[in-house]
Short mmCIF file of all heavy atoms in Angstrom, two decimals:
data_model
loop_
_atom_site.label_atom_id
_atom_site.label_comp_id
_atom_site.label_asym_id
_atom_site.label_seq_id
_atom_site.Cartn_x
_atom_site.Cartn_y
_atom_site.Cartn_z
N HIS A 89 5.11 -1.35 28.72
CA HIS A 89 3.85 -1.99 28.55
C HIS A 89 4.04 -3.52 28.27
O HIS A 89 5.01 -3.89 27.62
CB HIS A 89 3.02 -1.41 27.35
CG HIS A 89 2.59 0.03 27.66
ND1 HIS A 89 1.47 0.33 28.20
CD2 HIS A 89 3.28 1.20 27.33
CE1 HIS A 89 1.32 1.71 28.27
NE2 HIS A 89 2.45 2.21 27.75
N GLY A 90 3.13 -4.32 28.76
CA GLY A 90 3.17 -5.76 28.44
C GLY A 90 2.50 -5.94 27.17
O GLY A 90 1.84 -5.12 26.61
N PRO A 91 2.61 -7.20 26.69
CA PRO A 91 1.88 -7.56 25.42
C PRO A 91 0.40 -7.49 25.52
O PRO A 91 -0.21 -7.77 26.59
CB PRO A 91 2.42 -8.99 25.11
CG PRO A 91 2.83 -9.50 26.45
CD PRO A 91 3.32 -8.35 27.22
N GLY A 92 -0.23 -7.08 24.47
CA GLY A 92 -1.73 -6.94 24.50
C GLY A 92 -2.30 -5.74 24.99
O GLY A 92 -3.53 -5.54 25.12
N GLU A 93 -1.49 -4.74 25.32
CA GLU A 93 -2.06 -3.45 25.85
C GLU A 93 -2.32 -2.43 24.66
O GLU A 93 -1.51 -2.39 23.75
CB GLU A 93 -1.09 -2.85 26.81
CG GLU A 93 -0.86 -3.65 28.09
CD GLU A 93 -0.09 -2.86 29.18
OE1 GLU A 93 -0.27 -1.63 29.25
OE2 GLU A 93 0.72 -3.52 29.88
N ILE A 94 -3.43 -1.74 24.78
CA ILE A 94 -3.85 -0.80 23.75
C ILE A 94 -3.15 0.57 23.99
O ILE A 94 -3.42 1.15 25.06
CB ILE A 94 -5.37 -0.65 23.69
CG1 ILE A 94 -6.01 -1.96 23.34
CG2 ILE A 94 -5.74 0.45 22.71
CD1 ILE A 94 -7.56 -1.94 23.40
N LEU A 95 -2.31 0.99 23.18
CA LEU A 95 -1.71 2.33 23.23
C LEU A 95 -2.53 3.47 22.63
O LEU A 95 -2.53 4.52 23.18
CB LEU A 95 -0.28 2.23 22.53
CG LEU A 95 0.66 1.24 22.98
CD1 LEU A 95 2.03 1.35 22.30
CD2 LEU A 95 0.90 1.34 24.55
N ILE A 96 -3.23 3.13 21.52
CA ILE A 96 -4.08 4.10 20.87
C ILE A 96 -5.24 3.26 20.46
O ILE A 96 -5.22 2.22 19.83
CB ILE A 96 -3.36 4.71 19.61
CG1 ILE A 96 -2.26 5.61 20.15
CG2 ILE A 96 -4.45 5.62 18.93
CD1 ILE A 96 -1.48 6.25 18.96
N GLU A 97 -6.49 3.78 20.76
CA GLU A 97 -7.71 3.09 20.40
C GLU A 97 -8.45 3.72 19.21
O GLU A 97 -8.58 4.99 19.15
CB GLU A 97 -8.70 3.05 21.52
CG GLU A 97 -9.83 2.06 21.39
CD GLU A 97 -10.60 1.82 22.67
OE1 GLU A 97 -10.20 2.35 23.70
OE2 GLU A 97 -11.56 1.06 22.66
N GLU A 98 -8.79 2.89 18.21
CA GLU A 98 -9.56 3.39 17.09
C GLU A 98 -10.83 4.17 17.42
O GLU A 98 -11.58 3.78 18.37
CB GLU A 98 -9.92 2.21 16.19
CG GLU A 98 -10.62 2.61 14.88
CD GLU A 98 -10.92 1.40 14.02
OE1 GLU A 98 -10.68 0.22 14.48
OE2 GLU A 98 -11.43 1.60 12.87
N GLY A 99 -10.96 5.32 16.84
CA GLY A 99 -12.15 6.17 17.09
C GLY A 99 -11.94 7.19 18.21
O GLY A 99 -12.74 8.06 18.40
N ASP A 100 -10.88 7.08 18.95
CA ASP A 100 -10.52 7.97 20.07
C ASP A 100 -9.47 8.99 19.69
O ASP A 100 -8.60 8.62 18.90
CB ASP A 100 -10.19 7.27 21.34
CG ASP A 100 -11.33 6.52 22.01
OD1 ASP A 100 -12.53 6.73 21.54
OD2 ASP A 100 -11.09 5.67 22.82
N SER A 102 -6.42 10.09 21.22
CA SER A 102 -5.64 9.67 22.30
C SER A 102 -4.95 10.78 23.07
O SER A 102 -4.66 10.63 24.26
CB SER A 102 -4.55 8.68 21.79
OG SER A 102 -3.66 9.37 20.94
N HIS A 104 -1.92 11.75 22.50
CA HIS A 104 -0.45 11.65 22.47
C HIS A 104 0.00 10.98 21.22
O HIS A 104 -0.64 10.17 20.62
CB HIS A 104 0.05 10.95 23.69
CG HIS A 104 -0.67 9.65 23.91
ND1 HIS A 104 -1.61 9.40 24.83
CD2 HIS A 104 -0.45 8.45 23.25
CE1 HIS A 104 -2.07 8.15 24.82
NE2 HIS A 104 -1.32 7.51 23.85
N VAL A 105 1.26 11.33 20.85
CA VAL A 105 1.99 10.58 19.76
C VAL A 105 2.84 9.56 20.53
O VAL A 105 3.45 9.87 21.53
CB VAL A 105 2.80 11.62 18.99
CG1 VAL A 105 3.69 10.79 17.99
CG2 VAL A 105 2.00 12.67 18.28
N VAL A 106 3.03 8.44 19.86
CA VAL A 106 3.74 7.29 20.44
C VAL A 106 4.96 7.01 19.56
O VAL A 106 4.84 6.82 18.42
CB VAL A 106 2.93 6.07 20.64
CG1 VAL A 106 3.73 4.87 21.13
CG2 VAL A 106 1.77 6.29 21.58
N ILE A 107 6.15 6.98 20.21
CA ILE A 107 7.41 6.54 19.55
C ILE A 107 7.79 5.24 20.20
O ILE A 107 7.97 5.21 21.43
CB ILE A 107 8.48 7.57 19.64
CG1 ILE A 107 8.02 8.87 18.92
CG2 ILE A 107 9.80 7.05 19.09
CD1 ILE A 107 9.05 10.00 19.09
N LEU A 108 7.95 4.18 19.44
CA LEU A 108 8.35 2.93 19.98
C LEU A 108 9.82 2.81 20.22
O LEU A 108 10.62 2.75 19.25
CB LEU A 108 7.85 1.80 19.08
CG LEU A 108 7.97 0.34 19.53
CD1 LEU A 108 7.26 0.15 20.87
CD2 LEU A 108 7.50 -0.59 18.42
N GLU A 112 7.41 -4.27 20.01
CA GLU A 112 6.62 -4.43 18.77
C GLU A 112 5.17 -4.15 19.03
O GLU A 112 4.64 -4.44 20.07
CB GLU A 112 6.84 -5.90 18.24
CG GLU A 112 6.25 -6.09 16.90
CD GLU A 112 6.42 -7.60 16.49
OE1 GLU A 112 5.63 -8.46 16.92
OE2 GLU A 112 7.38 -7.92 15.75
N VAL A 113 4.56 -3.53 18.05
CA VAL A 113 3.16 -3.15 18.11
C VAL A 113 2.48 -3.64 16.76
O VAL A 113 3.12 -3.76 15.77
CB VAL A 113 2.89 -1.69 18.37
CG1 VAL A 113 3.50 -1.28 19.69
CG2 VAL A 113 3.39 -0.83 17.23
N SER A 114 1.24 -3.88 16.86
CA SER A 114 0.43 -4.21 15.68
C SER A 114 -0.63 -3.05 15.50
O SER A 114 -1.13 -2.48 16.46
CB SER A 114 -0.33 -5.51 15.73
OG SER A 114 -1.21 -5.53 16.88
N ILE A 115 -0.90 -2.77 14.17
CA ILE A 115 -1.85 -1.77 13.86
C ILE A 115 -3.09 -2.55 13.29
O ILE A 115 -3.08 -3.23 12.31
CB ILE A 115 -1.38 -0.86 12.75
CG1 ILE A 115 -0.05 -0.26 13.07
CG2 ILE A 115 -2.33 0.33 12.45
CD1 ILE A 115 0.12 0.50 14.33
N ASN A 116 -4.22 -2.42 14.08
CA ASN A 116 -5.42 -3.24 13.84
C ASN A 116 -6.62 -2.41 13.55
O ASN A 116 -6.75 -1.33 14.13
CB ASN A 116 -5.75 -4.17 15.09
CG ASN A 116 -4.51 -5.03 15.46
OD1 ASN A 116 -3.73 -5.42 14.61
ND2 ASN A 116 -4.37 -5.20 16.83
N THR A 117 -7.47 -2.89 12.72
CA THR A 117 -8.74 -2.26 12.47
C THR A 117 -9.81 -3.35 12.24
O THR A 117 -9.55 -4.52 12.34
CB THR A 117 -8.69 -1.24 11.32
OG1 THR A 117 -9.86 -0.47 11.23
CG2 THR A 117 -8.41 -1.97 10.00
N GLN A 125 -8.76 -6.95 11.28
CA GLN A 125 -7.72 -6.98 10.35
C GLN A 125 -6.43 -6.32 10.96
O GLN A 125 -6.46 -5.31 11.54
CB GLN A 125 -8.09 -6.17 9.10
CG GLN A 125 -9.13 -6.85 8.24
CD GLN A 125 -9.40 -6.09 6.93
OE1 GLN A 125 -9.22 -4.94 6.86
NE2 GLN A 125 -9.87 -6.88 5.93
N CYS A 126 -5.30 -6.98 10.66
CA CYS A 126 -4.00 -6.49 11.05
C CYS A 126 -3.44 -5.76 9.87
O CYS A 126 -3.16 -6.41 8.84
CB CYS A 126 -3.07 -7.59 11.63
SG CYS A 126 -1.41 -6.91 12.13
N LEU A 127 -3.26 -4.46 9.98
CA LEU A 127 -2.74 -3.73 8.86
C LEU A 127 -1.25 -3.80 8.74
O LEU A 127 -0.65 -3.78 7.65
CB LEU A 127 -3.14 -2.22 8.95
CG LEU A 127 -4.68 -2.00 9.00
CD1 LEU A 127 -5.03 -0.50 9.15
CD2 LEU A 127 -5.37 -2.58 7.79
N ALA A 128 -0.55 -3.74 9.90
CA ALA A 128 0.92 -3.73 9.91
C ALA A 128 1.41 -4.16 11.27
O ALA A 128 0.73 -4.14 12.29
CB ALA A 128 1.41 -2.39 9.51
N THR A 129 2.69 -4.56 11.30
CA THR A 129 3.44 -4.81 12.53
C THR A 129 4.59 -3.93 12.54
O THR A 129 5.38 -3.98 11.61
CB THR A 129 3.80 -6.31 12.74
OG1 THR A 129 2.63 -7.06 12.70
CG2 THR A 129 4.57 -6.53 13.89
N LEU A 130 4.79 -3.13 13.56
CA LEU A 130 5.84 -2.19 13.68
C LEU A 130 6.82 -2.48 14.76
O LEU A 130 6.37 -3.09 15.84
CB LEU A 130 5.34 -0.72 13.79
CG LEU A 130 4.24 -0.29 12.79
CD1 LEU A 130 3.82 1.04 13.15
CD2 LEU A 130 4.80 -0.36 11.38
N SER A 131 8.11 -2.14 14.60
CA SER A 131 9.08 -2.42 15.68
C SER A 131 9.85 -1.13 16.03
O SER A 131 9.40 0.04 15.78
CB SER A 131 10.06 -3.42 15.08
OG SER A 131 10.69 -3.02 13.95
N ALA A 134 9.38 3.00 15.32
CA ALA A 134 8.08 3.36 14.71
C ALA A 134 7.45 4.58 15.45
O ALA A 134 7.58 4.71 16.65
CB ALA A 134 7.16 2.21 14.71
N MET A 135 6.75 5.37 14.70
CA MET A 135 6.03 6.48 15.31
C MET A 135 4.58 6.47 14.85
O MET A 135 4.31 6.32 13.66
CB MET A 135 6.66 7.82 14.88
CG MET A 135 5.88 9.12 15.34
SD MET A 135 6.76 10.65 15.10
CE MET A 135 6.75 10.76 13.25
N VAL A 136 3.68 6.53 15.75
CA VAL A 136 2.21 6.47 15.41
C VAL A 136 1.50 7.58 16.25
O VAL A 136 1.95 7.99 17.26
CB VAL A 136 1.63 5.10 15.80
CG1 VAL A 136 2.17 3.93 14.94
CG2 VAL A 136 1.89 4.74 17.30
N GLY A 137 0.31 7.98 15.57
CA GLY A 137 -0.50 8.94 16.24
C GLY A 137 -0.25 10.34 15.79
O GLY A 137 -0.88 11.28 16.20
N GLU A 138 0.76 10.58 14.89
CA GLU A 138 1.10 11.93 14.45
C GLU A 138 -0.04 12.60 13.67
O GLU A 138 -0.19 13.80 13.65
CB GLU A 138 2.39 11.94 13.65
CG GLU A 138 2.34 11.45 12.29
CD GLU A 138 2.36 9.87 12.24
OE1 GLU A 138 2.51 9.29 13.25
OE2 GLU A 138 2.19 9.36 11.09
N SER A 140 -3.32 12.24 14.15
CA SER A 140 -4.25 12.70 15.09
C SER A 140 -3.81 14.01 15.67
O SER A 140 -4.61 14.85 16.03
CB SER A 140 -4.47 11.70 16.15
OG SER A 140 -5.16 10.55 15.74
N ALA A 147 -8.23 8.44 16.07
CA ALA A 147 -7.42 7.55 15.40
C ALA A 147 -8.21 6.65 14.48
O ALA A 147 -9.37 6.27 14.73
CB ALA A 147 -6.72 6.68 16.49
N VAL A 148 -7.59 6.23 13.40
CA VAL A 148 -8.33 5.28 12.45
C VAL A 148 -7.98 3.87 12.65
O VAL A 148 -8.50 3.05 11.91
CB VAL A 148 -7.92 5.74 10.98
CG1 VAL A 148 -8.32 7.16 10.73
CG2 VAL A 148 -6.39 5.60 10.78
N ALA A 149 -7.18 3.52 13.66
CA ALA A 149 -6.87 2.12 13.94
C ALA A 149 -6.38 2.04 15.38
O ALA A 149 -6.01 2.90 16.04
CB ALA A 149 -5.81 1.58 12.95
N ASP A 150 -6.49 0.73 15.92
CA ASP A 150 -5.88 0.43 17.19
C ASP A 150 -4.40 0.23 17.09
O ASP A 150 -3.89 -0.30 16.07
CB ASP A 150 -6.51 -0.86 17.77
CG ASP A 150 -7.98 -0.71 18.13
OD1 ASP A 150 -8.39 0.46 18.38
OD2 ASP A 150 -8.76 -1.67 18.06
N VAL A 151 -3.64 0.65 18.09
CA VAL A 151 -2.19 0.35 18.18
C VAL A 151 -2.10 -0.49 19.39
O VAL A 151 -2.34 -0.06 20.61
CB VAL A 151 -1.38 1.61 18.31
CG1 VAL A 151 0.08 1.23 18.38
CG2 VAL A 151 -1.55 2.53 17.01
N VAL A 152 -1.63 -1.79 19.29
CA VAL A 152 -1.62 -2.72 20.33
C VAL A 152 -0.23 -3.34 20.44
O VAL A 152 0.30 -3.82 19.44
CB VAL A 152 -2.72 -3.82 20.19
CG1 VAL A 152 -2.70 -4.74 21.39
CG2 VAL A 152 -4.09 -3.23 19.97
N THR A 153 0.23 -3.42 21.70
CA THR A 153 1.57 -4.09 21.88
C THR A 153 1.45 -5.60 21.64
O THR A 153 0.50 -6.23 22.05
CB THR A 153 2.14 -3.80 23.25
OG1 THR A 153 1.20 -4.33 24.21
CG2 THR A 153 2.36 -2.38 23.52
N THR A 154 2.39 -6.19 20.94
CA THR A 154 2.39 -7.61 20.75
C THR A 154 3.49 -8.31 21.59
O THR A 154 3.48 -9.51 21.71
CB THR A 154 2.65 -8.00 19.21
OG1 THR A 154 3.87 -7.37 18.80
CG2 THR A 154 1.48 -7.46 18.38
N SER A 157 7.05 -3.93 25.61
CA SER A 157 7.49 -2.75 24.88
C SER A 157 7.73 -1.55 25.74
O SER A 157 7.11 -1.37 26.76
CB SER A 157 6.45 -2.42 23.76
OG SER A 157 6.23 -3.45 22.93
N VAL A 159 7.80 2.63 25.34
CA VAL A 159 7.38 3.64 24.38
C VAL A 159 7.62 5.01 24.99
O VAL A 159 7.71 5.15 26.24
CB VAL A 159 5.87 3.51 24.01
CG1 VAL A 159 5.62 2.15 23.41
CG2 VAL A 159 5.00 3.69 25.24
N LYS A 161 5.79 8.59 25.04
CA LYS A 161 4.48 9.18 24.80
C LYS A 161 4.66 10.68 24.82
O LYS A 161 5.11 11.29 25.80
CB LYS A 161 3.36 8.74 25.70
CG LYS A 161 3.03 7.30 25.59
CD LYS A 161 1.85 6.95 26.44
CE LYS A 161 1.42 5.48 26.26
NZ LYS A 161 0.25 5.07 27.11
N LYS A 188 8.45 11.42 7.70
CA LYS A 188 7.76 10.21 7.95
C LYS A 188 6.50 10.07 7.02
O LYS A 188 6.21 9.02 6.37
CB LYS A 188 7.30 10.07 9.38
CG LYS A 188 6.93 8.65 9.76
CD LYS A 188 5.42 8.57 10.00
CE LYS A 188 4.99 7.16 10.40
NZ LYS A 188 3.65 7.04 10.88
#
Side-chain angles (χ1 to χ4, degrees):
H89 294 272
E93 295 191 35
I94 298 176
L95 304 180
I96 295 176
E97 189 167 2
E98 183 177 4
D100 289 348
S102 64
H104 53 257
V105 176
V106 174
I107 298 172
L108 186 58
E112 186 179 83
V113 299
S114 63
I115 311 299
N116 306 325
T117 188
Q125 290 186 332
C126 178
L127 302 178
T129 300
L130 308 178
S131 56
M135 176 171 65
V136 292
E138 74 281 352
S140 291
V148 297
D150 292 332
V151 179
V152 184
T153 57
T154 57
S157 303
V159 303
K161 292 185 178 180
K188 194 250 182 169

